[in-house]
Amino acid sequence: MPYFSNGLERPSVIDFEKLDAVFLDLDDTIVDYRNSCIVGLARVRSLVPELARVDVGTMEQEFRDILRENLPALFDGKITVDEERILRMSEILKSHGAPLNDEFVSKCDQTFMEGFWNARSVMDGTDFILQLCDKLEIPVAIITNGNADMQRRTLEMLGLSDYIDHLLTPTTSRELKPNTDLFEKALSLTGADKRRTIMVGDTWQHDVLGALNTGIVPVWVNRRGIPRPDNLEVMEVKSLRDLVYSGNSR
């Protein structure tokens, strides 16, 4: 299998028949997260006059940035998932001049979650890749910085659980991407050779660099066509379907 490592050839397709394991990020790689947040925040915006003129895409980016800042506290167990989400909602409302009280923030959070879960869906190519791995008996590990309970609920709700052999989260592993220990644990669980393993994810910092630092072949899912943060020769796709060597479909 061609792959990029230490100056070797940059891949244009992956021959799945030569893989030991496939590692996948979850949110915005195999399951839509950004759009789910946008749907939930749009519902919140309809409740809050102060948010009426705020672009929902801007709100989603703010929501994501606050979550990133709160991840260490979540990881250390200083706050729960529900508490972190309430903090995020409070920050969004406060930053745009909306009134803050516990009852109203809770109502906004509930409204957000209803919209979020109703909009949860698989990304293009997810079923195709998971079914291919199942057919070829390739173990699949999810490596995510998301909450374990929410990720399990997502996989079950969307009918993906049976295709996943291992779910590694900060809760279960005590590590955060791009920490190499997390990827090493996935290799140990699957018994895979890192040179015959790919890590597929949408986040350059967490997924691509974490894989490269471990010696795993990274694949960057760049559906929105954003510029590369670094000038590294890494396989880039817009859909999971773009990964596949034509011989895999025979």
Side-chain angles (χ1 to χ4, degrees):
M1 181 187 71
Y3 66 99
F4 177 81
S5 177
N6 299 323
L8 296 180
E9 180 184 0
R10 173 182 173 180
S12 57
V13 290
I14 299 293
D15 186 348
F16 275 64
E17 293 181 358
K18 296 181 180 179
L19 291 179
D20 282 355
V22 171
F23 298 165
L24 299 168
D25 173 54
L26 194 143
D27 288 321
D28 286 334
T29 296
I30 66 169
V31 174
D32 194 314
Y33 179 82
R34 182 173 183 268
N35 182 66
S36 299
C37 282
I38 286 174
V39 170
L41 289 169
R43 292 193 180 190
V44 172
R45 189 176 62 173
S46 69
L47 296 177
V48 186
E50 289 82 359
L51 297 178
R53 295 186 178 181
V54 181
D55 176 70
V56 72
T58 299
M59 290 174 60
E60 188 276 332
Q61 186 59 57
E62 292 173 351
F63 214 56
R64 188 184 295 259
D65 290 342
I66 297 168
L67 172 59
R68 190 175 295 113
E69 293 171 2
N70 291 341
L71 272 177
L74 263 175
F75 178 72
D76 292 336
K78 295 178 180 178
I79 55 175
T80 67
V81 172
D82 291 340
E83 289 170 342
E84 188 281 324
R85 201 176 58 249
I86 291 291
L87 284 173
R88 254 188 295 164
M89 187 61 66
S90 298
E91 286 292 322
I92 291 289
L93 296 175
K94 179 181 177 181
S95 67
H96 295 286
L100 288 180
N101 63 70
D102 291 346
E103 183 177 353
F104 185 65
V105 173
S106 179
K107 179 180 180 181
C108 288
D109 175 64
Q110 182 179 354
T111 299
F112 168 78
M113 291 303 289
E114 289 172 354
F116 176 86
W117 285 111
N118 286 339
R120 212 72 159 121
S121 61
V122 298
M123 304 297 284
D124 176 59
T126 294
D127 290 340
F128 179 70
I129 290 299
L130 292 180
Q131 290 169 11
L132 176 62
C133 290
D134 183 59
K135 176 183 177 182
L136 297 175
E137 299 183 346
I138 301 169
V140 175
I142 298 292
I143 305 178
T144 170
N145 282 346
N147 172 261
D149 291 338
M150 287 190 66
Q151 305 300 47
R152 288 192 191 97
R153 176 180 174 183
T154 297
L155 293 171
E156 290 171 3
M157 181 181 75
L158 297 176
L160 304 178
S161 296
D162 289 345
Y163 294 102
I164 308 303
D165 297 285
H166 305 284
L167 173 63
L168 287 88
T169 74
T171 305
T172 58
S173 66
R174 305 305 303 163
E175 302 290 349
L176 281 168
K177 293 184 295 186
N179 193 308
T180 58
D181 289 346
L182 184 59
F183 295 91
E184 292 287 357
K185 287 180 180 179
L187 289 169
S188 177
L189 285 169
T190 57
D193 183 330
K194 64 181 65 177
R195 296 168 298 179
R196 296 168 62 89
T197 301
I198 59 172
M199 172 66 202
V200 184
D202 71 299
T203 305
W204 187 273
Q205 178 66 31
H206 294 159
D207 302 315
V208 172
L209 297 187
L212 278 175
N213 290 337
T214 314
I216 294 170
V217 183
V219 178
W220 186 34
V221 182
N222 185 19
R223 291 184 175 86
R224 293 189 284 164
I226 65 175
R228 287 180 176 237
D230 299 306
N231 188 26
L232 296 173
E233 291 290 333
V234 171
M235 182 177 179
E236 179 180 337
V237 297
K238 289 187 176 180
S239 166
L240 297 182
R241 293 181 183 274
D242 298 336
L243 287 172
V244 180
Y245 168 60
S246 60
N248 296 135
S249 60
R250 291 201 295 267

